[in-house]
Amino acid sequence: MEERAYTKGLLEALLFLSSDPIKLSALAKSAGIEKTEARELLDELILDYQEKEGGFLLREIAGGYQFITNQKYSEILAHIFKDKKRETLSRGTLDTLAIIAYKQPVTLTELDEIRGVSSRAMVASLMSKKLVKAVGQKEVPGRPTLYGTTNEFLLHFGLSKLTDLPTPVEVKELKFEEFTPESIIVTDETEMNPDFDTSTLPDELQEGS
């Protein structure tokens, strides 16, 4: 029992010291135990923090495990840390992100057909913020780029995997604003990450294309 408590504490310490989610396999290896035992101990830790209702919670997120702040303190924390950098997404960009999340992999042409307007600037903005990436090329004439979401997307929206997304009745009717975390500000303007190298964008997303 003492060894089990020690191992559980070790997993807790490893997670506390990491700023990124840690995969189950990596935690098991670091603690010198099997993945089944590691998952069992992590499930116990998740329940421990949930029952405690303190400032932290342990969650399975973006393919790994990570401590997050309890949402009930989000309003006061947002006020205290109001200068913390947050992503900015226009409503059109958020709409585009929702379609990519649910329809991926999807081409720019397919996005335009679903939205009824050009999505070029929106996809470029999402790529600059590392929420969307090129995942391949569609095997049709012209081989257009296919787009999908990133691990950063899962982190921003607090998801362990894409199947954790709410099931939409119809993509066009998605109210993605209701699912937007406090790490993202919804505006009416499309903004690019100023530190992003736009030359790395696919040709179809370049200005003037």
Side-chain angles (χ1 to χ4, degrees):
M1 187 68 180
E2 183 178 341
E3 182 179 347
R4 180 182 175 83
Y6 174 84
T7 305
K8 184 176 175 180
L10 175 58
L11 292 172
E12 184 178 25
L14 287 167
L15 289 162
F16 179 79
L17 291 173
S18 177
S19 59
D20 299 310
I22 306 179
K23 292 185 180 299
L24 176 65
S25 57
L27 286 166
K29 183 178 180 180
S30 296
I33 57 177
E34 296 295 322
K35 288 197 293 184
T36 51
E37 183 181 357
R39 183 178 289 280
E40 185 178 320
L41 291 173
L42 289 164
D43 285 344
E44 287 183 14
L45 280 171
I46 288 173
L47 187 59
D48 289 346
Y49 278 90
Q50 184 175 316
E51 292 178 342
K52 183 181 178 182
E53 292 189 342
F56 295 98
L57 295 173
L58 180 60
R59 287 284 184 268
E60 189 173 357
I61 183 171
Y65 291 83
Q66 184 178 36
F67 278 114
I68 62 172
T69 53
N70 194 325
Q71 191 172 4
K72 69 180 180 181
Y73 302 115
S74 60
E75 187 174 342
I76 182 64
L77 290 174
H79 176 71
I80 295 171
F81 297 99
K82 58 186 176 183
D83 293 330
K84 181 181 176 181
K85 181 181 177 182
R86 292 193 285 172
E87 295 292 352
T88 301
L89 296 182
S90 70
R91 297 186 186 281
T93 304
L94 194 61
D95 176 44
T96 303
L97 178 58
I99 296 170
I100 293 173
Y102 284 97
K103 290 289 190 179
Q104 62 185 306
V106 60
T107 67
L108 184 60
T109 299
E110 290 166 344
L111 282 168
D112 292 347
E113 289 175 352
I114 294 171
R115 297 187 63 237
V117 293
S118 173
S119 304
R120 185 194 62 77
M122 286 71 181
V123 176
S125 176
L126 289 167
M127 289 191 71
S128 79
K129 298 174 190 301
K130 298 181 180 180
L131 296 174
V132 164
K133 64 181 179 180
V135 295
Q137 293 177 302
K138 193 167 185 177
E139 296 299 328
V140 296
R143 293 175 57 80
T145 300
L146 288 165
Y147 298 96
T149 54
T150 64
N151 202 55
E152 197 74 20
F153 166 82
L154 295 177
L155 287 171
H156 269 295
F157 288 89
L159 302 170
S160 174
K161 50 191 178 301
L162 287 172
T163 52
D164 291 337
L165 280 167
T167 303
V169 176
E170 169 58 47
V171 173
K172 285 186 177 181
E173 297 176 1
L174 282 173
K175 303 289 186 184
F176 218 50
E177 291 90 340
E178 298 174 6
F179 194 58
T180 306
E182 295 210 3
S183 59
I184 291 177
I185 305 170
V186 182
T187 69
D188 292 321
E189 297 180 2
T190 300
E191 292 187 9
M192 294 282 290
N193 180 347
D195 299 322
F196 181 73
D197 181 3
T198 57
S199 67
T200 62
L201 290 171
D203 291 342
E204 62 185 13
L205 299 182
Q206 298 288 345
E207 288 284 353
S209 62

